[in-house]
Amino acid sequence: MPQTLDAVAVRTWCSLALDGLGRDREEIDAVNVYPVADGDTGTNLYLTVESAHQAVEAVFAAYTEVPETADVIRAMAHGALIGARGNSGTILSQLLRGMAEVLAEHGTDLSGALRRAAESAYEAVAHPVEGTVLTVATAAAEAARGADGDADGDAAAVATAAYGGARRALEETPGQLAVLGRAGVVDAGGWGLVTVLGALVQALSGEAPAVRHEAHPPIDPHTCPTECPADPAESAGPAFEVIYLLEAGDEAVARLRGRLDALGDSLVVVGGDGLWNVHVHVDDAGAAVEAGVEAGRPYRIRITHFGAQPEPREQVQRAVVAVVPGEGLAGLCAEAGATAVLARPGEPPASGELVDAIRRAHAREVVLLPNDAELRHTAAVAVAQARAEGVRVALIPTRSAVQGLAALAVHAADRRFDEDVVAMTAAAGATRYAELAVAERQSWTTAGICQAGDVLGLIDGDVAVIGQDLARTAKAVLDRMLAAGGELVTLVLAAGTPADLAPGIEAHVREAHLAVDTVVYDGGNQSAPLLIGVE
């Protein structure tokens, strides 16, 4: 029976691609010499697909039955777009978007999807270069088209042909790009695409491709100057990589392309329908960001200095890594000596970001505070990877930022590691947590029916109070929590909350609950208007 790329197959593909890139990440990083030899292509591709995987899982979680294939493939492409990292990750996101454009309308046309993917990737790159992931994508599409007539609707057969074409093209990349030939390696981005296509074959056929490419094919470097075209990127390039998401219209983005192209190189602009991911290498990072501001609304801005080498420092014995929902708590954690990972509204950190934070902590022992029940699996994956790298890591299952603050308050680096972890775990567990949220629509809750605009008071993750304004709801929540006792109330306020909210709550606690202290922190741009902790 011919295999088709349905919703379940897309989900399986995404999961297998993430596993494959996780397996190949270090090897791909090691052969990353183009366009910049910064050794992070494998990591960037992994983080890009991880974001796609999270988006797909979110769609399945939102449905009681199997979702429509179009919804799943669009989610995969959108997740890759908003989570794209680096040059290759940005291009991969556009390849997935190109496939989604076809598969969402014609679910059986895998050959056409691969062809559109290659075309859209070329369109996104300002100055396409052969011997890169673009060449590999084109070869995959051509091989798929050649097999399409004989496949009789069998997507597995088309995917297998595409994988074979991509793998052969990858082997040829050292002869097409001088920098690869001299290094004796294949293109890193192309390798990542071959891994993703291999996952597609396995998702559709149930069997992993039997043949793998060689990372270091035999290359005669003396033949390269005459057989390989000159590589314009081998000279010293721009100093900064700038990446940001951008909300803007098509005409504004067209003007932006022209301006950024004049500022630097490696320009890739992917996306559409008002949301774009912009990647460019420039010497003037400020000008690249200003160009985005003129075009629309840039956000999630990342600027990396290629030449920046961290000052060598001695590895510390112990450190704390904490996920926080806003800039205010990030600063508070930094003051306490912890490494903060910012979780922006609607954008939870991926496991790779947590691993990066653990590495930045530069410690032999690390305590990880995820501060969100939804990050349990992500944090566990990060811990496993960090442990594989030789770091002793303890994961304390904090479910809210206020529990993380309580744990951080009792952290003592001079204690034995196990004793410190036990003390921090006990402090977090003794902290009851709550938050306020605003209902987006009418819904059933554990406290009854809420209407759009109602203020919801959630205690330990469940709706306990439904109110009409922040102050009254916060006081009702606190009264319920303090009925069981408590000595300290912690309030974390989001930016933009009414100035009289915290003083009013503090006054209520003083009047209604004797011998209970209150501390207030500025949370910054967190999604919840108010976080509450009771110890």
Side-chain angles (χ1 to χ4, degrees):
M1 180 178 177
Q3 298 293 314
T4 59
L5 192 61
D6 59 15
V8 174
V10 173
R11 185 187 197 183
T12 304
W13 173 31
C14 202
S15 179
L16 290 172
L18 186 62
D19 290 344
L21 288 170
R23 180 190 63 239
D24 294 347
R25 179 184 61 81
E26 291 185 1
E27 292 181 90
I28 296 175
D29 281 346
V31 301
N32 173 203
V33 298
Y34 180 86
V36 176
D38 48 356
D40 63 358
T41 291
T43 299
N44 286 336
L45 289 169
Y46 178 86
L47 292 174
T48 301
V49 173
E50 185 177 43
S51 180
H53 178 260
Q54 290 175 341
V56 168
E57 291 303 312
V59 171
F60 272 85
Y63 281 74
T64 56
E65 298 179 354
V66 176
E68 295 292 329
T69 302
D71 292 338
V72 177
I73 192 68
R74 288 190 182 109
M76 184 179 184
H78 180 74
L81 172 68
I82 64 174
R85 297 292 191 93
N87 188 72
S88 294
T90 306
I91 293 174
L92 177 62
S93 74
Q94 188 69 0
L95 289 168
L96 293 176
R97 180 181 175 85
M99 292 186 69
E101 289 176 359
V102 174
L103 292 174
E105 299 297 329
H106 311 286
T108 60
D109 189 9
L110 181 57
S111 174
L114 290 167
R115 184 165 59 252
R116 177 58 193 146
E119 292 170 352
S120 63
Y122 268 93
E123 293 167 0
V125 177
H127 301 284
V129 174
E130 297 305 323
T132 65
V133 62
L134 298 175
T135 307
V136 176
T138 299
E142 291 175 348
R145 182 172 56 183
D148 198 25
D150 301 325
D152 193 26
D154 189 347
V158 175
T160 300
Y163 171 81
R167 185 175 57 80
R168 290 187 294 273
L170 179 66
E171 301 293 346
E172 296 172 0
T173 56
Q176 297 173 303
L177 200 54
V179 64
L180 301 180
R182 280 193 275 277
V185 298
V186 296
D187 178 65
W191 183 345
L193 178 58
V194 169
T195 299
V196 171
L197 290 173
L200 178 59
V201 172
Q202 186 175 356
L204 290 169
S205 69
E207 298 181 1
V211 182
R212 291 187 66 194
H213 53 274
E214 295 290 334
H216 301 271
I219 299 293
D220 180 0
H222 298 293
T223 64
C224 239
T226 56
E227 294 185 7
C228 300
D231 177 10
E234 286 190 79
S235 58
F240 297 97
E241 177 185 59
V242 178
I243 306 174
Y244 50 78
L245 291 178
L246 177 70
E247 294 178 355
D250 291 358
E251 292 184 3
V253 170
R255 293 191 296 271
L256 175 66
R257 288 178 191 269
R259 181 166 178 186
L260 292 179
D261 194 26
L263 286 174
D265 58 31
S266 296
L267 173 61
V268 185
V269 181
V270 301
D273 300 321
L275 180 62
W276 309 82
N277 192 308
V278 179
H279 170 281
V280 67
H281 295 173
V282 294
D283 283 319
D284 189 345
V289 175
E290 289 172 6
V293 172
E294 292 180 6
R297 186 179 80 88
Y299 60 104
R300 291 186 67 177
I301 300 167
R302 299 188 187 95
I303 299 174
T304 304
H305 185 208
F306 290 124
Q309 297 296 329
E311 290 292 327
R313 58 189 177 99
E314 184 179 354
Q315 190 177 37
V316 299
Q317 181 61 31
R318 190 176 309 156
V320 177
V321 172
V323 179
V324 294
E327 299 88 347
L329 290 187
L332 185 66
C333 287
E335 290 176 10
T339 299
V341 179
L342 188 60
R344 298 173 179 83
E347 300 172 9
S351 65
E353 293 178 76
L354 299 184
V355 173
D356 287 343
I358 292 172
R359 291 173 183 149
R360 290 199 312 273
H362 200 57
R364 299 179 185 88
E365 301 168 340
V366 172
V367 180
L368 177 59
L369 305 173
N371 295 337
D372 186 340
E374 298 298 323
L375 289 179
R376 180 177 57 183
H377 175 70
T378 301
V381 171
V383 167
Q385 184 171 336
R387 286 173 178 167
E389 296 177 6
V391 182
R392 187 181 185 189
V393 185
L395 172 60
I396 297 178
T398 47
R399 302 166 67 87
S400 170
V402 292
Q403 288 190 325
L405 291 175
L408 190 57
V410 301
H411 165 59
D414 56 350
R415 277 194 296 237
R416 289 179 56 248
F417 184 63
D418 292 338
E419 293 177 352
D420 197 27
V421 171
V422 168
M424 295 176 71
T425 302
T431 302
R432 284 160 288 158
Y433 64 95
E435 68 176 74
L436 299 190
V438 178
E440 296 180 356
R441 58 185 178 277
Q442 184 186 62
S443 179
W444 287 91
T445 76
T446 51
I449 300 176
C450 70
Q451 305 295 329
D454 282 350
V455 179
L456 308 180
L458 293 86
I459 301 177
D460 294 337
D462 294 322
V463 177
V465 177
I466 300 175
Q468 275 65 55
D469 65 74
L470 292 174
R472 289 197 182 98
T473 306
K475 293 171 185 176
V477 166
L478 271 169
D479 288 343
R480 290 198 179 201
M481 297 177 76
L482 289 170
E487 299 176 352
L488 177 66
V489 170
T490 300
L491 305 176
V492 182
L493 281 80
T497 54
D500 60 351
L501 180 61
I505 296 174
E506 288 183 277
H508 176 76
V509 171
R510 281 195 305 271
E511 295 168 4
H513 304 279
L514 298 178
V516 177
D517 295 325
T518 304
V519 294
V520 180
Y521 298 113
D522 175 14
N525 293 318
Q526 61 189 34
S527 56
L530 177 65
L531 302 178
I532 301 172
V534 173
E535 302 174 50

